[in-house]
Amino acid sequence: MLSHLNLEATELRLGLPGSDDLPSTNKRPSPEDHQTPPAPKAQIVGWPPVKSYRKSTAAAKSAEAESGMYVKVSMDGAPYLRKIDIKLYDGYSHLLTALEDMFKLSIGEYSEREGYKGSEYAPAYEDKDGDLMLVGDVPWEMFMSSCKRLRIMRGADARGLASAQH
Amino acid sequence: MAYSFPEEVLELVLSFLRSDRDRNAVSLVCWSWYEIERWCRHRLFIGNCYAVSPEIVIRRFPEVRAVEMKGKPHFADFNLVPEGWGGYVQPWIRAMAASYPSLEEIRLKRMVVTDESLDLIARSFKYFKVLVLSSCEGFTTDGLASIAANCRNLREIDLRESEVEDLSGHWLSHFPDNCTSLVSLNMSCLGSEVSFPALERLVGRCPSLRTLQLNRAVPLEKLPNLLHRAPQLVEFGTGAYSAEIRPDIYSNVAEAFSVCKQLRGLSGFWDVVPAYIPAMYSACAGITSLDLIYAAIQSPDLVKLISLCPRLQCLWVLDYIEDAGLEALAASCKDLQELRVFPSDPFEAEANVALTEQGLVSVSEGCPKLQSVLYFCRQMSNAALITIARNRPEMVRFRLCIIEPQAPDYLTLEPLDTGFGAIVENCKQLRRLSMSGLLTDRVFEYIGKHAKKLEMLSIAFAGDSDMGLDHVLSGCDSLRKLEIRDCPFGDKALLANAAKLETMRSLWMSSCLVSYGACKLLAQKMPRLNVEVIDERGHPNSRPETCPVEKLYIYRTVAGRRVDMPDFIWTMDKDAGNPEAFVSNGAVEMVGDA
């Protein structure tokens, strides 16, 4: 019944992302490591265990610099939502690639005039005023500060959105 | 015996029993005592909303006036419980609206509360007095408006740490002009500005107001308006504690604080401007509780402040306090019972402040009444933990988070087993323990052997094998809640200790090695448990039975499997031959396990 567990067959990893074994020594970068700039440290979900609303209030940081700008992402037809941290992305293409990965779909090319023409799905978001907007129209920084929620719409519904906004 | 106490006498005697444990014990003596007790239990505590159903509760306890209930597992605080998990209060409110017309108090923690629920509360309970929503979500300020408008006798509305959709600040204006009963108002979690004139008037007409916790949007300059109208305040939470540096603002604020002679607790202090800190000095002599977790105050200013608070019993502070500040705390505050030090920059690997294990050691040396600790730091040693354990054997709650997972003793590079071992061996009254750092199965051996009063244990990135879990489950006699993440604990220990799980409120395991097959087996062995598998990769059937599940939540229940789960949670099937519908004596323990 309880046969030997083959860890490699599962996708679960113990230990930190990016490490291949359970580290047993304190990992501090050695001086030689400073040749290449260190990759941004992947955050472990829920660690350290601080409640999300208790963000850092360091005097040097403004409210925008707090770690984590989580928004809910829904996809038309999917039974449950996801949550992503927009701060982890450095621009629209990065974000859209991540969404394509997460939901296993293709989003296609953005054009100001026609939105996401030719793709099955198009990304939209709810802004501060509660309006549904097509992702990509405004500069990335403005999007980051005004996006409250993301919604991946079916292409047909979204085309209505694109033409309504232009 | 040919005679027995008249019921009225027994009922009078029972009315002196406040603790649920005592009442549960009384209920087990005989059926007539069970009957008498259930008719006179007016306060209900339900530690897990899924352990029992509204119908069972209402059938057993017909005269309830106060309900306290908890929903999501504790790890929901750290985003480990996916959205949509459950914890909906609506079915409870609906049932209680029909059966408890005299309900006065509702206290909820980690539950999903909708505007519909709040509206139903507001309209169903004529004598409603107390609403406490701690770490709840799902409602908007519209729901609050309904409570404000309809609850004629409202005494307490406390939204601590809840996520409220802030549609507008106007909800506060819905308190009618003849509402003068408010004793406690905590709106610190709200984002938007409330109508200040409405707030002023409300505060001014409630002479019994003892607790007022504002939100960040209330500016510092307005504080005097409120404090002058409520000089009797005992607990006060400021809004943003910043303003242009002007002598008139300063003197107004300072004067307002001096007028409040009963102040015992202070909180708030968003965006602190250091120049304004001395304005609160007049309150310090009497202060017993100080919550500075939103305040970016540097160590020297903190030292000055704390040295003026000799009566301090509870301090929540950021790690800006540093070792030096904690030393000052140890020197000044001999009444200190509870200390929580939070990280100002939790996601930074390198330390941004000079806070180490030494700060905690100093406090453990200097504060003889210290019994409750929550401490975030970046280095720890066995020597420090052993010292702390020997200094404070009466410790009751000890939660240590070393920010780097699996960090060893920084001096010896060994695991921290002996350090935590010393904690459990010396602190015989320990009820709650959270561990971190590099830990092997050895630490669990110590815990199983010594931690006999331990009720709640939190483990992360620790242990080597199933033996670790086995030590805990077989040794910790008082264990009620166990939460584990990222540990190599699997099927063997869980199945070998299946019966133990029915003596506990709940077990959470995520990113461990418990297989789907074991979950199914456990559920069949233990029909009075709900074994819930949470897996966002799709149904476990689509993977081999030996494949570990992502997350597992197991809890005892007399309510059977729940029906409100999202698509990524499955309750394992129980043995078909075992009826779940009857209420056994297990249920007596279930309702009111504190």
Side-chain angles (χ1 to χ4, degrees):
Chain A
M1 180 75 201
L2 303 171
S3 47
H4 172 71
L5 291 170
N6 183 357
L7 272 183
E8 275 69 42
T10 73
E11 291 167 19
L12 287 185
R13 301 173 58 92
L14 298 173
L16 305 172
S19 66
D20 286 327
D21 54 340
L22 301 176
S24 56
T25 56
N26 204 4
K27 296 180 335 184
R28 295 216 169 270
S30 54
E32 302 85 59
D33 288 353
H34 290 319
Q35 303 293 348
T36 51
K41 180 163 183 160
Q43 277 182 32
I44 305 170
V45 175
W47 193 269
V50 283
K51 291 189 190 177
S52 52
Y53 76 91
R54 282 200 200 135
K55 306 276 171 71
S56 156
T57 54
K61 296 189 181 181
S62 64
E64 282 79 67
E66 289 168 358
S67 305
M69 205 182 261
Y70 282 95
V71 298
K72 293 181 191 176
V73 188
S74 64
M75 178 168 109
D76 289 351
Y80 55 89
L81 282 61
R82 305 299 304 262
K83 228 173 195 178
I84 60 169
D85 177 359
I86 330 186
K87 289 203 72 185
L88 291 181
Y89 307 101
D90 47 35
Y92 283 121
S93 60
H94 194 188
L95 170 67
L96 294 178
T97 308
L99 288 177
E100 285 180 328
D101 258 355
M102 190 181 259
F103 290 95
K104 307 279 177 280
L105 43 79
S106 80
I107 288 180
E109 286 290 310
Y110 167 80
S111 80
E112 200 183 302
R113 202 170 153 271
E114 298 186 88
Y116 292 86
K117 176 184 166 173
S119 56
E120 222 194 317
Y121 289 94
Y125 70 99
E126 211 174 282
D127 70 359
K128 282 199 275 234
D129 302 321
D131 294 322
L132 192 62
M133 313 286 295
L134 192 68
V135 167
D137 287 342
V138 302
W140 175 253
E141 275 70 33
M142 191 186 293
F143 165 76
M144 275 217 302
S145 61
S146 57
C147 172
K148 291 286 159 238
R149 202 185 152 113
L150 278 163
R151 179 179 154 195
I152 301 182
M153 300 175 69
R154 291 195 219 283
D157 301 331
R159 267 190 284 286
L161 189 66
S163 56
Q165 285 175 231
H166 295 289
Chain B
M1 288 256 206
Y3 62 90
S4 56
F5 278 129
E7 270 185 30
E8 296 82 2
V9 173
L10 193 52
E11 198 171 319
L12 182 60
V13 171
L14 293 189
S15 70
F16 291 102
L17 290 181
R18 296 288 146 85
S19 122
D20 279 341
R21 255 171 221 179
D22 292 341
R23 282 181 162 271
N24 289 346
V26 156
S27 309
L28 290 174
V29 169
C30 62
W31 279 109
S32 77
W33 281 39
Y34 173 93
E35 275 299 305
I36 294 167
E37 193 281 320
R38 75 183 187 91
W39 279 94
C40 68
R41 190 180 305 206
H42 303 303
R43 310 191 71 86
L44 223 48
F45 173 77
I46 299 168
N48 172 7
C49 64
Y50 291 118
V52 69
S53 72
E55 293 68 39
I56 293 174
V57 168
I58 289 171
R59 190 166 62 224
R60 179 173 172 191
F61 298 114
E63 300 279 326
V64 169
R65 293 192 211 125
V67 172
E68 184 180 345
M69 194 153 46
K70 299 187 181 181
K72 298 183 203 172
H74 172 238
F75 273 175
D77 286 355
F78 316 126
N79 290 327
L80 287 176
V81 177
E83 190 99 14
W85 177 88
Y88 308 103
V89 80
Q90 179 63 2
W92 288 90
I93 305 296
R94 256 204 321 263
M96 295 194 297
S99 304
Y100 292 156
S102 305
L103 192 69
E104 296 178 358
E105 304 178 15
I106 293 177
R107 292 177 173 80
L108 304 174
K109 187 165 187 180
R110 290 194 204 95
M111 294 198 73
V112 177
V113 181
T114 57
D115 285 349
E116 193 188 347
S117 299
L118 290 177
D119 196 56
L120 194 53
I121 291 171
R123 293 178 195 289
S124 311
F125 306 118
K126 299 269 165 292
Y127 309 106
F128 197 69
K129 292 196 173 67
V130 172
L131 181 68
V132 177
L133 301 177
S134 174
S135 302
C136 294
E137 52 161 0
F139 59 103
T140 77
T141 42
D142 283 354
L144 299 179
S146 184
I147 295 280
N150 294 292
C151 300
R152 310 264 130 194
N153 300 296
L154 198 65
R155 271 201 335 232
E156 210 174 308
I157 176 161
D158 181 340
L159 306 171
R160 60 180 80 158
E161 303 182 26
S162 289
E163 253 183 67
V164 185
E165 198 176 330
D166 224 320
L167 299 176
S168 97
H170 286 310
W171 68 275
L172 198 83
S173 317
H174 285 253
F175 279 108
D177 289 337
N178 61 5
C179 168
T180 58
S181 50
L182 217 54
V183 170
S184 172
L185 172 62
N186 178 356
M187 48 180 236
S188 51
C189 62
L190 296 181
S192 59
E193 224 174 292
V194 293
S195 149
F196 194 79
L199 178 60
E200 255 186 329
R201 284 196 305 271
L202 179 64
V203 168
R205 66 177 183 267
C206 294
S208 306
L209 193 68
R210 272 199 317 259
T211 297
L212 176 64
Q213 283 158 315
L214 305 171
N215 62 344
R216 193 177 190 168
V218 178
L220 183 59
E221 303 92 325
K222 297 280 218 271
L223 241 52
N225 301 44
L226 296 171
L227 291 178
H228 280 292
R229 282 172 172 75
Q232 75 284 1
L233 280 180
V234 173
E235 253 186 86
F236 180 59
T238 74
Y241 204 73
S242 69
E244 265 180 78
I245 302 188
R246 274 170 37 191
D248 58 324
I249 300 182
Y250 181 93
S251 58
N252 287 340
V253 172
E255 199 251 335
F257 270 113
S258 69
V259 149
C260 297
K261 310 267 185 237
Q262 321 277 358
L263 275 180
R264 295 289 168 264
L266 286 177
S267 58
F269 301 110
W270 286 273
D271 314 315
V272 170
V273 163
Y276 278 103
I277 299 174
M280 72 168 105
Y281 281 177
S282 62
C284 289
I287 288 296
T288 56
S289 162
L290 202 48
D291 178 352
L292 300 173
I293 62 173
Y294 297 115
I297 307 181
Q298 302 302 317
S299 186
D301 290 323
L302 278 171
V303 167
K304 272 195 232 136
L305 177 60
I306 285 167
S307 61
L308 294 172
C309 305
R311 298 239 197 105
L312 200 60
Q313 292 172 15
C314 176
L315 175 66
W316 291 18
V317 73
L318 290 170
D319 56 8
Y320 292 127
I321 191 168
E322 301 190 327
D323 289 344
L326 290 173
E327 243 178 82
L329 178 68
S332 314
C333 303
K334 298 305 182 183
D335 280 350
L336 194 74
Q337 292 173 23
E338 176 173 335
L339 173 67
R340 295 194 190 189
V341 179
F342 292 96
S344 52
D345 210 344
F347 303 109
E348 197 49 60
E350 300 295 320
N352 56 322
V353 291
L355 179 114
T356 69
E357 80 284 7
Q358 189 48 47
L360 186 56
V361 171
S362 307
V363 177
S364 77
E365 271 160 7
C367 300
K369 302 191 186 162
L370 187 71
Q371 46 161 254
S372 181
V373 166
L374 169 58
Y375 198 74
F376 283 80
C377 60
R378 287 182 167 83
Q379 67 185 42
M380 187 50 60
S381 66
N382 283 308
L385 284 170
I386 292 167
T387 304
I388 293 164
R390 291 198 180 138
N391 286 339
R392 298 274 65 88
E394 69 295 322
M395 188 79 72
V396 168
R397 278 168 233 103
F398 189 74
R399 296 155 73 184
L400 179 69
C401 179
I402 307 163
I403 293 197
E404 180 75 20
Q406 301 174 320
D409 177 324
Y410 78 100
L411 295 170
T412 65
L413 295 186
E414 282 172 358
L416 290 170
D417 298 338
T418 46
F420 280 104
I423 295 280
V424 293
E425 193 176 344
N426 285 278
C427 307
K428 304 202 196 301
Q429 303 306 316
L430 197 69
R431 293 202 307 257
R432 183 168 182 181
L433 177 65
S434 297
M435 303 191 296
S436 55
L438 184 64
L439 297 165
T440 72
D441 282 349
R442 188 42 64 80
V443 76
F444 299 111
E445 208 184 307
Y446 297 143
I447 290 174
K449 184 164 174 210
H450 295 288
K452 296 305 181 186
K453 298 263 176 81
L454 193 66
E455 297 179 7
M456 182 169 180
L457 178 61
S458 310
I459 310 171
F461 304 104
D464 309 309
S465 76
D466 268 45
M467 282 314 295
L469 181 57
D470 188 69
H471 286 309
V472 170
L473 290 177
S474 57
C476 295
D477 298 334
S478 310
L479 197 62
R480 293 186 302 110
K481 290 179 279 180
L482 180 57
E483 47 185 24
I484 303 173
R485 62 161 298 174
D486 293 274
C487 296
F489 299 149
D491 302 344
K492 257 177 56 185
L494 201 57
L495 291 171
N497 292 284
K500 171 74 173 177
L501 299 177
E502 213 181 279
T503 69
M504 292 165 54
R505 182 188 296 175
S506 64
L507 167 63
W508 168 279
M509 291 179 75
S510 55
S511 304
C512 295
L513 296 175
V514 180
S515 71
Y516 177 47
C519 293
K520 289 198 286 188
L521 193 57
L522 183 63
Q524 282 159 26
K525 262 177 101 162
M526 306 292 303
R528 287 203 297 221
L529 296 179
N530 275 353
V531 177
E532 294 181 6
V533 168
I534 302 169
D535 210 313
E536 293 176 280
R537 297 171 296 176
H539 201 294
N541 278 337
S542 59
R543 290 178 294 280
E545 281 222 345
T546 50
C547 186
V549 300
E550 272 181 356
K551 302 176 185 183
L552 183 57
Y553 187 53
I554 301 171
Y555 56 91
R556 64 184 184 181
T557 181
V558 290
R561 54 166 63 205
R562 58 186 178 110
V563 296
D564 59 0
M565 298 176 306
D567 288 355
F568 50 89
I569 303 186
W570 300 270
T571 307
M572 301 294 100
D573 286 331
K574 312 188 187 197
D575 185 346
N578 245 314
E580 293 159 6
F582 69 93
V583 176
S584 69
N585 270 342
V588 175
E589 295 293 312
M590 213 74 58
V591 181
D593 69 338

